């Protein structure tokens, strides 16, 4: 009766009592597992289901509960394996293949996911969500054009609350392969759909696509809020932690899936290591892969504790964080792939913060502060953030002085002509647009001895970009594509460039930092959104603010002037090489001191029972 009435907490207690008296009763075990699953006790539900399966190996309902419990624990590979090995009594219908495809995708088994999803579509061709998941699977394999076709089919069939997500991904992937004619229409439709969102909408959205393809911070806030509500669905926050006197050491937790060989780890490593251990206890909660890299090993020792939580549910991670007594919890992912805002929706820590991983507001009512600086996130833009702004006195971006220095490399080794002026645009292709490429091609027309050096991020963009160059009157051979290589080799070849051309509306972030570290002059164009102002902040922090422009015409003029002034390029290069030891951007010790002071200021406001408010840290660490 309790279960039928939806009173699952009481039902779980009743069935647990019954199982204690009759531990081998299949009906009691089944209902206990159901209750535990409903109440978010996924580990317990799996254990109860396994006990029942030991008694009744062909119990389809128990198998389904076990699979769902594993899925909720993010043990997707195990869930998929159980489904694939299910007894013949489990019908291989469309729903079976749809679920199997989802678990295989989540396990990173993309080819197998595609097979399962096609098997499901053979039984139900109109299942929009399967077309959507096919698109995600093809995209993960780098088959961008196939991905777009599947996503468009899903849109035609109708994905309900998922329509905006699919439209955003279509626009993003079209940019990845530089098919700009179609992408322009897709972005326009995406923005139209944002404007059509009802107030207080709850929808999964590719917020990352929004903030990287458009310079529209008002729209970014709308979609971020809708997606943040989606991640918080069905979650009951933990009771608030009452303000109290802070301990001698503030306990700070960082949550990320990027604590391995990744740009976030490369930027943050020294900050983790250098936070003053007399003032801070640092816990790193990792929900990402074990890649066996040197950076992964470094991350394991960068804090006081390194905790692997990739197979724990959001609820269980949040419970751990609450049990650990974390005062300030920092999310390093936001609305990026593998982000887990659901952990934060439980409100495990009294102060919750967004930093670095996502270039914009989370839109989450359960995130208190957003760390930026006066250039990337000025107080005048506070209305476009759901969080209170916490502003560093210098550039917001952490840097690691232990990163490799460029080593000597010949242009020939990098596939570059010896006597050309090298204009470098090492942006991921989704950051390119016809507006950006128009400017770059005009520069090539005005600098006949120049080549444009681009990253070959995928196999499909180069041919498309060469076609775009021809359409603008540029010899396609003047586009040189650099293959993806390791971090050390990438920095060494980066130093061969004469000028780095930043993109917009999403600037280079780690890439611009790498360019400056390699000694390459950078020119950027700044817009209104966080993502479009990073280049300006980085240049300011190395004493080169003159090369951050607010007009595209000025951007073009400054690149042209640098191209015609070899002495100025040499001066900037020398300045940047000296800046490795003197500039604010690369002063990791000073940055870490400021960062720690900012974390402490947030915690002190909570400790004193003060309401949330913007925090502007005055002055830089000396």
């Amino acid at each position: 009766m309790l279960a039928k009435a939806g009173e699952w907490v009481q039902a779980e207690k009743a069935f647990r009592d019954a199982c204690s008296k009759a531990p081998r009763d299949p009906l009691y075990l089944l209902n206990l597992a159901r209750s535990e699953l409903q109440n978010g006790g996924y580990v317990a539900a799996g254990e109860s289901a396994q006990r029942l399966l030991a008694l009744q190996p062909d119990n389809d309902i128990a198998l389904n509960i076990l699979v769902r419990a594993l899925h909720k624990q993010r043990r997707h590979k195990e869930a998929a394996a159980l489904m694939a090995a299910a007894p013949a009594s489990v019908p291989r219908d469309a729903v079976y293949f749809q679920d199997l495809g989802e678990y295989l995708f989540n396990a990173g088994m993309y080819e197998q996911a595609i097979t399962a999803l096609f098997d499901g579509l053979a039984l139900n061709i109109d299942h929009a969500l399967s077309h959507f998941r096919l698109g995600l699977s093809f995209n993960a394999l780098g088959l961008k054009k196939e991905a777009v076709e599947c996503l468009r089919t899903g849109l035609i069939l109708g994905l309900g609350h998922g329509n905006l997500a699919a439209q955003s991904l279509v626009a993003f992937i079209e940019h990845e392969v530089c098919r700009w004619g179609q992408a322009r229409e897709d972005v326009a439709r995406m923005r139209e759909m944002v404007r059509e969102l009802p107030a207080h909408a709850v929808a999964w959205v590719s917020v990352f696509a929004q903030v990287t393809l458009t310079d529209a911070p008002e729209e970014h806030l709308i979609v971020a809020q809708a997606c943040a509500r989606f991640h918080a669905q069905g979650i009951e926050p933990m009771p608030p932690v009452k303000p109290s006197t802070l301990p001698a050491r503030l306990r700070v937790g960082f949550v990320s899936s990027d604590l391995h060989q990744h740009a976030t780890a490369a930027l943050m490593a020294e900050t983790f290591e250098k936070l003053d251990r007399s003032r801070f206890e640092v816990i790193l909660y990792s929900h990402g892969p074990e890649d066996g890299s040197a950076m992964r090993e470094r991350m394991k020792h960068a804090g006081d504790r390194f905790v692997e939580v990739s197979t724990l549910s959001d609820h269980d991670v949040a419970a751990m964080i609450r049990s650990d007594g974390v005062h300030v919890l920092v999310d390093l992912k936001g609305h990026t792939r593998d982000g887990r805002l659901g952990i934060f929706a439980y409100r495990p820590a009294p102060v919750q913060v967004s930093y670095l991983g996502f270039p914009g507001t989370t839109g989450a009512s359960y995130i208190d502060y957003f760390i930026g600086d006066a250039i990337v996130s000025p107080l005048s833009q506070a209305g476009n953030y759901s969080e209170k702004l916490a502003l560093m006195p210098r550039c917001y971006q952490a840097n690691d002085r232990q990163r490799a220095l460029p080593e000597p490399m010949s242009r020939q080794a990098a596939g570059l002509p010896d006597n050309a002026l090298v204009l470098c645009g090492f942006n991921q292709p989704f950051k390119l647009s016809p507006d950006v490429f128009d400017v770059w091609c005009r520069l090539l027309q005005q600098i006949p001895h120049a080549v444009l050096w681009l990253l070959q991020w995928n196999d499909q963009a180069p041919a498309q970009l060469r076609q775009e160059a021809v359409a603008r009157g540029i010899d396609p051979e003047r586009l040189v594509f650099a293959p993806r290589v390791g971090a050390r080799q990438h920095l060494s070849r980066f130093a061969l460039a004469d000028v780095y051309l930043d993109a917009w509306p999403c600037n280079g972030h780690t890439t611009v930092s790498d360019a400056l570290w390699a000694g390459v002059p950078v020119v950027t164009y700044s817009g209104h959104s966080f993502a479009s102002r990073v280049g300006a902040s980085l240049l300011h922090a190395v004493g080169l603010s003159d090369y951050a422009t607010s007009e595209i015409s000025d951007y073009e003029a400054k690149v042209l002037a640098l191209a015609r002034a070899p002495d100025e390029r040499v001066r900037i290069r020398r300045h940047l090489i000296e800046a490795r030891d003197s500039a604010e951007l690369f002063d990791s010790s000073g940055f870490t001191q400021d960062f720690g002071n900012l974390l402490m200021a947030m915690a002190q406001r909570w400790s004193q029972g003060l309401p949330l408010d913007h925090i502007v840290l005055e002055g830089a660490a000396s």
Side-chain angles (χ1 to χ4, degrees):
M1 294 295 291
L2 290 169
K4 289 182 179 179
E7 297 178 8
W8 292 105
V9 174
Q10 296 92 326
E12 180 181 338
K13 184 179 183 303
F15 288 122
R16 181 168 287 110
D17 290 343
C19 285
S20 67
K21 297 172 183 175
R24 295 178 63 82
D25 186 292
L27 187 59
Y28 289 160
L29 277 172
L30 180 63
N31 282 293
L32 175 60
R34 287 178 61 218
S35 302
E36 290 166 334
L37 190 69
Q38 288 289 337
N39 292 328
Y42 304 125
V43 173
E47 291 172 350
S48 296
Q50 285 179 315
R51 286 164 58 195
L52 177 52
L53 286 167
L55 299 172
Q56 297 181 345
D58 292 337
N59 191 310
D60 298 349
I61 300 175
L63 178 65
N64 180 260
I65 291 173
L66 177 56
V67 167
R68 290 168 61 194
L70 290 170
H71 172 59
K72 289 292 187 179
Q73 294 174 69
R74 309 178 72 83
R75 295 163 63 181
H76 306 299
K77 191 171 184 178
E78 294 172 67
L82 266 177
M83 285 197 71
S89 59
V90 175
R92 266 54 172 181
D93 55 11
V95 173
Y96 168 88
F97 289 113
Q98 291 157 10
D99 289 344
L100 178 59
E102 178 185 3
Y103 300 150
L104 287 166
F105 172 82
N106 289 332
M109 303 168 70
Y110 305 119
E111 293 180 355
Q112 297 94 320
I114 289 169
T115 299
L117 290 166
F118 272 128
D119 286 342
L121 287 170
L123 300 170
N124 180 8
I125 192 63
D126 294 331
H127 191 249
L129 192 55
S130 288
H131 290 282
F132 178 80
R133 288 174 180 151
L134 268 178
L136 297 181
S137 301
F138 279 123
N139 188 49
L141 291 171
L143 300 170
K144 305 292 182 178
K145 294 178 181 179
E146 293 84 352
V148 166
E149 292 309 309
C150 292
L151 292 169
R152 290 194 191 283
T153 302
L155 279 166
I156 292 169
L157 292 171
L159 289 158
H161 293 305
N163 277 341
L164 180 53
Q167 185 63 47
S168 303
L169 287 169
V170 164
F172 186 83
I173 296 170
E174 291 285 20
H175 274 83
E176 285 191 300
V177 295
C178 301
R179 295 198 305 194
W180 296 326
Q182 186 61 54
R184 193 186 294 273
E185 296 177 16
D186 288 320
V187 170
R189 176 58 185 145
M190 176 184 78
R191 298 186 69 179
E192 181 183 346
M193 291 171 72
V194 171
R195 291 189 289 269
E196 293 170 351
L197 276 176
H200 307 295
V202 178
W204 186 83
V205 185
S206 178
V207 189
F208 187 77
Q210 302 278 337
V211 302
T212 54
L213 300 182
T214 67
D215 185 22
E218 301 89 353
E219 295 175 15
H220 301 167
L221 176 60
I222 291 170
V223 295
Q225 288 174 322
C227 198
R229 294 186 197 107
F230 174 86
H231 288 299
Q233 284 184 108
I235 290 177
E236 183 176 344
M238 297 175 177
V241 181
K242 293 181 180 179
S244 61
T245 302
L246 295 177
R249 297 177 71 207
L250 189 73
R251 191 165 292 146
V252 183
F254 295 87
V255 181
S256 180
S257 65
D258 299 331
L259 303 178
H260 53 273
Q261 189 58 55
H262 187 278
T264 295
L267 292 175
M268 286 296 295
E270 206 163 13
T271 298
F272 294 146
E273 293 164 345
K274 287 193 170 186
L275 274 168
D276 185 350
R277 291 306 194 266
S278 69
R279 300 175 69 206
F280 301 98
E281 179 183 346
V282 177
I283 306 175
L284 306 182
Y285 297 97
S286 170
H287 55 91
E290 170 60 74
D291 66 348
S293 65
M295 179 59 77
R296 178 71 168 185
E297 193 62 25
R298 185 178 174 189
M299 288 291 99
K300 290 179 180 178
H301 299 93
D304 295 277
R305 290 171 56 202
F306 183 94
V307 187
E308 173 58 63
V309 298
S310 60
T311 61
L312 298 181
S313 68
D314 290 348
H315 174 271
D316 289 347
V317 178
M320 177 188 294
I321 290 166
R322 175 61 66 92
S323 176
D324 288 341
V326 170
H327 301 98
V328 180
L329 187 65
V330 183
D331 179 29
L332 296 173
K333 289 297 295 181
H335 296 285
T336 57
R337 184 175 177 179
D338 299 324
R340 292 183 64 178
L341 280 172
I343 294 169
F344 290 77
Y346 281 101
R347 267 285 180 188
V351 180
Q352 303 195 155
V353 185
S354 175
Y355 174 60
L356 191 65
F358 182 69
T361 182
T362 63
S365 60
Y366 41 89
I367 301 290
D368 303 311
Y369 294 101
F370 178 95
I371 296 178
D373 63 48
I375 294 176
V376 289
S377 54
L379 288 179
S380 61
Q381 286 281 336
N384 294 319
Y385 292 80
S386 60
E387 311 88 347
K388 296 299 182 182
L389 296 176
L391 303 186
M392 292 283 286
R394 58 181 82 203
C395 178
Y396 83 100
Q397 190 188 85
N399 262 279
D400 179 13
R401 286 191 48 75
Q402 295 183 39
R403 75 208 306 185
L405 289 170
E407 298 175 350
M409 179 181 283
S410 69
R411 284 195 165 185
Q412 184 178 16
L416 292 166
D418 288 331
N419 299 318
L421 182 89
V422 178
L423 301 177
C424 177
F426 278 176
N427 307 272
Q428 291 192 48
F430 71 80
K431 296 185 179 182
L432 306 185
S433 70
D435 294 338
V436 171
F437 207 64
D438 283 346
V439 173
W440 291 1
C441 285
R442 284 201 300 271
L443 288 166
L444 290 175
Q445 288 168 344
Q446 295 173 83
I447 314 167
H449 65 295
V451 296
L452 182 60
W453 198 21
L454 303 170
L455 272 182
Q456 184 165 338
W457 197 263
N458 60 59
D459 294 334
Q460 293 150 300
Q464 194 70 32
L465 284 169
R466 288 191 172 103
Q467 290 180 25
E468 295 287 349
V470 170
R472 290 163 175 78
I474 300 298
D475 181 349
E477 295 303 313
R478 295 179 67 189
L479 273 59
V480 180
F481 288 91
R484 295 169 71 174
V485 296
R488 186 179 295 273
Q489 186 179 351
H490 179 63
L491 273 174
S492 297
R493 71 180 180 186
F494 219 147
L496 299 171
D498 291 301
V499 183
Y500 178 81
L501 307 179
D502 204 5
W504 66 88
C506 184
N507 298 158
H509 297 180
T510 308
T511 306
V512 169
S513 193
D514 284 345
L516 296 171
W517 182 256
V520 180
V522 172
V523 181
T524 190
Y525 165 71
S526 302
H528 303 287
S529 64
F530 182 102
S532 71
R533 301 176 67 83
V534 171
S537 179
L538 296 170
L539 283 169
H540 177 78
V542 293
L544 292 171
S545 294
D546 287 349
Y547 289 95
T549 70
S550 56
E551 300 290 339
I552 292 175
S553 57
D554 290 342
Y555 170 98
E556 189 171 345
K558 285 186 182 294
V559 175
L560 193 59
L562 274 177
R564 293 170 175 171
D567 291 345
E568 175 66 359
R569 297 199 304 274
V570 170
R571 182 195 73 79
I572 293 174
R573 193 175 291 272
R574 288 174 177 164
H575 171 87
L576 288 172
I577 291 172
E578 293 173 1
R580 292 174 189 157
D581 296 318
S582 61
E584 288 184 350
L585 181 63
F586 302 124
D587 177 13
S588 55
S589 296
F591 173 91
T592 303
Q593 186 176 333
D594 289 338
F595 188 74
N597 289 340
L598 193 60
L599 296 175
M600 189 65 73
M602 299 173 192
Q604 285 171 342
R605 287 196 67 86
W606 164 76
S607 174
Q608 296 164 13
L610 297 174
L612 296 175
D613 200 359
H614 304 302
I615 299 175
V616 180
L617 205 61
E618 299 294 341
S622 59

